[in-house]
Every structure is written in C-alpha cells, then in structure tokens.
Amino acid sequence: MGQTTVTQQEGQVTVKQRHTFQTTCTYQTSNFDALHWYQQRTGQAPQRISYQAAAGPKRNGRLTTLLNTTGKYS
C-alpha cells in the first residue's frame, strides 16, 4: 500500500450557508484507487461527503467534484 499526500491550498475554510465554494486539491500517490472528500463542521468529526474513483465530473446533490487523474487534482 502506497503513501498518499493531498494538499488543499486554502487550509481551513469557512463558508456561509447557501454560498458557493470552490477549491482545488492536488494529490501524490503511488497507488491511486479513489479520492474521498470530507466536510468537518466546528466541534464535529469529519464526515465523508463524496467518493470518486473514476476521472471526470461527479454530482452528488449540490456538490460537484471533478477528478483529473492525469494532472492529479480535484
């Protein structure tokens, strides 16, 4: 099993309800199988909000993710 590093440039982000938020994460891994997105609300444990194993866009309710496995970003 390989080591995976994911970097989000903004670090911690606060978003008001019903507002739009966009971020880009880059990743480095020797063995890619999927990318998991988590949301952590203040005082709560992280909660997985998306799972994406295939390249391209994915929509899950109001959340849209785009996984680029060639450029290694989402």
Side-chain angles (χ1 to χ4, degrees):
M1 186 177 231
Q3 173 89 12
T4 300
T5 303
V6 179
T7 305
Q8 177 184 339
Q9 294 300 325
E10 295 87 357
Q12 180 177 324
V13 177
T14 301
V15 181
K16 293 182 180 180
Q17 283 188 342
R18 296 181 181 78
H19 284 218
T20 301
F21 168 70
Q22 180 175 330
T23 188
T24 299
C25 294
T26 57
Y27 66 89
Q28 296 179 334
T29 184
S30 57
N31 186 19
F32 179 83
D33 63 346
L35 192 64
H36 303 258
W37 282 92
Y38 289 84
Q39 177 183 43
Q40 186 171 16
R41 297 176 189 260
T42 303
Q44 296 182 11
Q47 183 175 19
R48 188 173 74 177
I49 56 174
S50 183
Y51 166 87
Q52 190 165 357
K58 178 182 178 185
R59 186 167 180 102
N60 182 6
R62 296 182 345 160
L63 177 67
T64 301
T65 57
L66 173 67
L67 178 59
N68 182 316
T69 54
T70 303
K72 296 187 176 180
Y73 67 85
S74 180

